[in-house]
């Protein structure tokens, strides 16, 4: 009951004060030459042990750079369960990376994913040997980094620079926030009002509408019938961090099904219903769920410019 009161208080405070969401910037500063190299690496399966899995395998652009399967398929057909690969679009705006926040930035995220046995299963020595055997990569890395020998640190640095550029600006909602009142329908505007009124905004706020805090799944129920997987407890070893995860971004959410950390939820409507039950302690009426979903669909932004670059 105290938690519910606190959520309602915070929601009322947010609604009464400044806009809790800011638009994705139209542009972001990054090293273009380095990012283009990172783009090549991101889509190249040479980075994985069996040479069959790339970063893009689990983060395909056509699905909002998230995996459209419940669990990703890594090297040698290994299944990386029970976690669903989150989007890397707009990940530069996250305070931490991975569901449990074990990576402090994009560079560390790239490195840990590359080393993970069920993902790419690579090591420093093998990675460097492969890339230094490539005349193409030696030339490109020399142009960008001014070095004759490619190191794993350069690889992760370049991938991070590419991911930094993966922003999706100019969604309908961003245009609304910038002053175009007519871009949203009456139902979409009501969906945003409901999104704030029910308290969703207390966690999904800021530039990325998530990614800036951790939250426990199942505040109002004792038994969450969902696999825990790699929660915050795996990082902190604090009992209170069991079933605690980084709040996911809602940007491009209409493209990134399935939902929740374990990919167990197939539709947006179901996700809205369950998060209301688990974390708000209420059953949101179907009419309101429909309108909140309409609002969430306005969060789909433009395809990152760098994906269209050579």
């Amino acid at each position: 009951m105290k938690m519910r009161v606190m959520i309602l208080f915070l929601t009322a405070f947010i609604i009464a004060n400044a806009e809790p969401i800011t638009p994705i910037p139209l542009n972001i500063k990054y090293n273009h030459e380095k990012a283009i190299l990172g783009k090549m690496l991101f889509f190249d399966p040479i980075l994985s042990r069996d040479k069959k899995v790339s970063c893009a395998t689990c983060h395909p652009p056509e699905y909002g750079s998230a995996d459209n399967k419940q669990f990703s398929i890594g090297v040698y057909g290994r299944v990386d369960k029970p976690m669903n690969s989150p989007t890397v679009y707009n990940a530069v705006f996250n305070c931490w990376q991975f569901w449990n926040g074990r990576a402090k930035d994009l560079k560390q995220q790239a490195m840990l994913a590359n080393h993970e046995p069920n993902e790419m299963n690579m090591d420093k020595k093998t990675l460097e040997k492969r890339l230094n055997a490539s005349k193409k990569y030696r030339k490109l890395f020399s142009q960008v980094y001014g070095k004759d020998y490619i190191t794993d640190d350069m690889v992760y640095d370049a991938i991070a620079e590419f991911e930094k550029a993966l922003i999706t600006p100019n969604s309908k909602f961003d245009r609304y926030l910038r002053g175009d009142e007519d871009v949203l329908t009456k139902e979409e505007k009501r969906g945003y009002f409901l999104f704030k009124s029910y308290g969703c905004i207390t966690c999904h706020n800021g530039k990325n509408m998530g990614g800036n805090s951790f939250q426990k799944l199942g505040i109002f129920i004792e038994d969450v019938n969902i696999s825990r997987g790699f929660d915050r407890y795996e990082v902190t070893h604090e009992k209170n961090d069991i079933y605690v995860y980084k709040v996911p971004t809602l940007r491009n959410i209409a493209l990134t099904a399935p939902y929740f950390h374990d990919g167990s939820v197939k539709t947006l409507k179901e996700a809205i219903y369950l998060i209301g039950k688990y974390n708000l302690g209420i059953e949101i009426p179907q009419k309101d769920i429909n309108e909140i979903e309409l609002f969430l669909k306005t969060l789909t932004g433009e395809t990152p410019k760098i994906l269209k670059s050579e």
Side-chain angles (χ1 to χ4, degrees):
M1 188 58 149
K2 288 182 179 179
M3 180 63 72
R4 179 76 187 280
V5 171
M6 183 179 76
I7 289 173
L8 291 173
F9 173 79
L10 287 172
T11 302
F13 176 82
I14 289 170
I15 292 174
N17 289 273
E19 177 59 58
I21 301 170
T22 54
I24 294 289
L26 298 176
N27 297 286
I28 191 170
K29 290 183 179 181
Y30 65 91
N31 184 313
H32 184 74
E33 188 179 23
K34 187 185 290 186
I36 291 297
L37 174 56
K39 178 182 176 181
M40 288 181 61
L41 294 164
F42 189 88
F43 287 92
D44 196 338
I46 196 175
L47 269 64
S48 64
R49 179 76 61 178
D50 64 359
K51 298 183 181 180
K52 293 182 179 180
V53 176
S54 72
C55 304
T57 300
C58 300
H59 301 285
E62 60 267 33
Y63 297 109
S65 203
D67 205 331
N68 66 319
K69 300 182 291 295
Q70 182 174 7
F71 306 130
S72 299
I73 309 298
V75 291
Y76 307 115
R78 295 172 185 169
V79 181
D80 190 26
K81 62 181 182 182
M83 306 301 289
N84 176 256
S85 296
T87 180
V88 291
Y89 280 175
N90 304 304
V92 66
F93 303 123
N94 292 338
C95 295
W96 310 268
Q97 306 300 329
F98 292 111
W99 281 101
N100 60 9
R102 64 185 181 275
K104 63 182 179 181
D105 54 31
L106 292 172
K107 184 176 177 180
Q108 188 178 30
Q109 179 269 329
M111 182 268 289
L112 291 176
N114 191 238
H115 290 179
E116 171 58 43
N118 288 333
E119 294 184 36
M120 304 182 91
N121 194 31
M122 282 293 277
D123 61 85
K124 172 183 171 72
K125 183 178 179 180
T126 305
L127 181 64
E128 292 181 358
K129 182 179 179 180
R130 283 187 188 177
L131 292 178
N132 281 290
S134 165
K135 291 182 180 180
K136 176 187 72 173
Y137 274 124
R138 283 208 316 273
K139 179 181 178 180
L140 291 171
F141 272 90
S142 178
Q143 290 172 347
V144 174
Y145 290 93
K147 304 288 184 180
D148 294 329
Y149 185 82
I150 302 169
T151 67
D152 67 331
D153 187 73
M154 294 176 192
V155 173
Y156 306 134
D157 183 64
I159 292 173
E161 197 68 14
F162 167 63
E163 292 187 353
K164 180 180 179 181
L166 292 176
I167 63 168
T168 62
N170 227 25
S171 68
K172 281 181 67 175
F173 184 63
D174 283 342
R175 299 200 299 276
Y176 170 77
L177 291 177
R178 288 193 170 97
D180 187 352
E181 292 282 337
D182 297 327
V183 72
L184 297 187
T185 66
K186 180 177 67 174
E187 291 77 15
E188 289 166 345
K189 289 178 182 177
R190 176 168 164 77
Y192 180 42
F193 172 78
L194 292 169
F195 181 85
K196 291 190 288 186
S197 299
Y198 278 117
C200 312
I201 198 72
T202 58
C203 295
H204 294 286
N205 52 58
K207 200 174 296 181
N208 215 13
M209 299 184 66
N212 56 359
S213 64
F214 294 98
Q215 184 57 269
K216 185 180 181 66
L217 180 65
I219 295 174
F220 288 99
I221 61 173
E222 292 184 7
D223 183 26
V224 178
N225 190 27
I226 294 177
S227 300
R228 266 181 57 204
F230 304 111
D231 55 15
R232 190 65 180 159
Y233 175 82
E234 301 295 322
V235 178
T236 67
H237 303 295
E238 297 284 343
K239 284 183 63 177
N240 288 339
D241 283 337
I242 292 174
Y243 272 106
V244 170
Y245 307 92
K246 182 185 71 179
V247 174
T249 174
L250 295 184
R251 295 288 183 176
N252 306 292
I253 194 71
L255 307 177
T256 59
Y259 305 109
F260 285 24
H261 67 276
D262 68 335
S264 61
V265 179
K266 295 181 179 180
T267 69
L268 263 180
K269 284 186 173 69
E270 184 184 4
I272 295 165
Y273 170 79
L274 287 176
I275 208 67
K277 180 180 176 182
Y278 288 172
N279 277 46
L280 300 175
I282 55 177
E283 291 201 13
I284 302 176
Q286 189 61 52
K287 181 178 183 299
D288 289 357
I289 288 175
N290 293 343
E291 292 184 326
I292 291 172
E293 181 189 40
L294 287 175
F295 159 65
L296 294 177
K297 288 182 176 180
T298 71
L299 302 176
T300 302
E302 296 175 350
T303 300
K305 293 178 182 177
I306 195 167
L307 289 178
K308 304 172 185 177
S309 303
E310 294 296 330

